[in-house]
Amino acid sequence: HITFRNNLIINVGYIGGFGTGGSYIFNLYDLDYATIVNNVFAITDPQHYNGHPFRAQAMASAGKDGSHHLILKNNIFYGFKSNDYLTVDTASLVGSEIDNNLWSVNPTWPPRIPGQDEHSFFGVDPQFVNVSSDDFHLTNNSPAINAGVDLSAYFSADKDGVPRPQGSAWDIGAYEYVEGGAGVIYGD
């Protein structure tokens, strides 16, 4: 069992020289019972590394026996390319729950996973406060507000320690939106 929650993962991505591949923001090879919830995975650097653009994918692969019982909910995937999406093989879908995520791209490949991501957003801007300053708090018009699923069985606060939910439902991403939070200065 592994739980990964309330994290900011910024600018992981392609650094090789092959031109078609990418690195994985996570690769669950034969790992059962992974819980990946309320994180922000973001590619914000428009620059190239070694002449290659940043790219990243997420993957759960069967390997020998499969990566069963993956819980992937309430995450934001921001700045990814059109073919950067979640790759999950059929064997790894056993007991898995993938939903209520926000993808800033509408993936062209791989295709969406049948029976999963029913309440997820695709091709939607999450409306962060200030991406260029790595401030991934939500603005008051973010579609991620009140769009998450209740995960209080696992935890009850966001990355800043703010109790979840602040509105009618949990927010998607690492930070819960706080009403009137626009005037609050976060970080340094």
Side-chain angles (χ1 to χ4, degrees):
H1 297 273
I2 185 171
T3 299
F4 193 65
R5 67 173 181 256
N6 288 340
N7 294 286
L8 301 177
I9 307 299
I10 304 167
N11 289 330
V12 297
Y14 191 81
I15 59 172
F18 300 104
T20 58
S23 64
Y24 295 103
I25 54 175
F26 56 84
N27 186 349
L28 309 174
Y29 185 83
D30 280 346
L31 176 66
D32 289 340
Y33 297 99
T35 301
I36 302 171
V37 292
N38 282 98
N39 299 288
V40 173
F41 301 96
I43 305 296
T44 63
D45 189 343
Q47 302 301 312
H48 291 53
Y49 184 86
N50 273 350
H52 300 284
F54 279 110
R55 290 192 53 218
Q57 292 179 323
M59 178 176 170
S61 68
K64 293 185 286 183
D65 300 316
S67 298
H68 308 112
H69 306 284
L70 165 67
I71 296 175
L72 184 72
K73 293 185 176 187
N74 293 358
N75 298 287
I76 296 176
F77 298 88
Y78 176 80
F80 288 65
K81 305 296 182 205
S82 62
N83 59 343
D84 292 340
Y85 178 54
L86 177 65
T87 303
V88 180
D89 57 29
T90 303
S92 294
L93 289 173
V94 174
S96 293
E97 299 174 31
I98 302 167
D99 207 359
N100 293 85
N101 298 295
L102 188 151
W103 296 82
S104 65
V105 297
N106 195 358
T108 56
W109 184 260
R112 294 184 193 168
I113 302 164
Q116 304 290 339
D117 273 329
E118 297 293 324
H119 302 98
S120 292
F121 297 92
F122 293 91
V124 174
D125 183 345
Q127 300 293 315
F128 293 126
V129 169
N130 191 336
V131 171
S132 63
S133 296
D134 293 336
D135 186 346
F136 295 95
H137 290 86
L138 304 173
T139 62
N140 64 348
N141 58 345
S142 172
I145 296 172
N146 297 326
V149 64
D150 184 339
L151 297 173
S152 58
Y154 301 100
F155 63 108
S156 60
D158 75 357
K159 184 168 179 57
D160 286 335
V162 174
R164 292 183 186 268
Q166 287 293 299
S168 61
W170 281 45
D171 296 345
I172 297 174
Y175 299 106
E176 189 76 7
Y177 175 74
V178 178
E179 187 69 37
V184 177
I185 300 173
Y186 298 97
D188 296 325

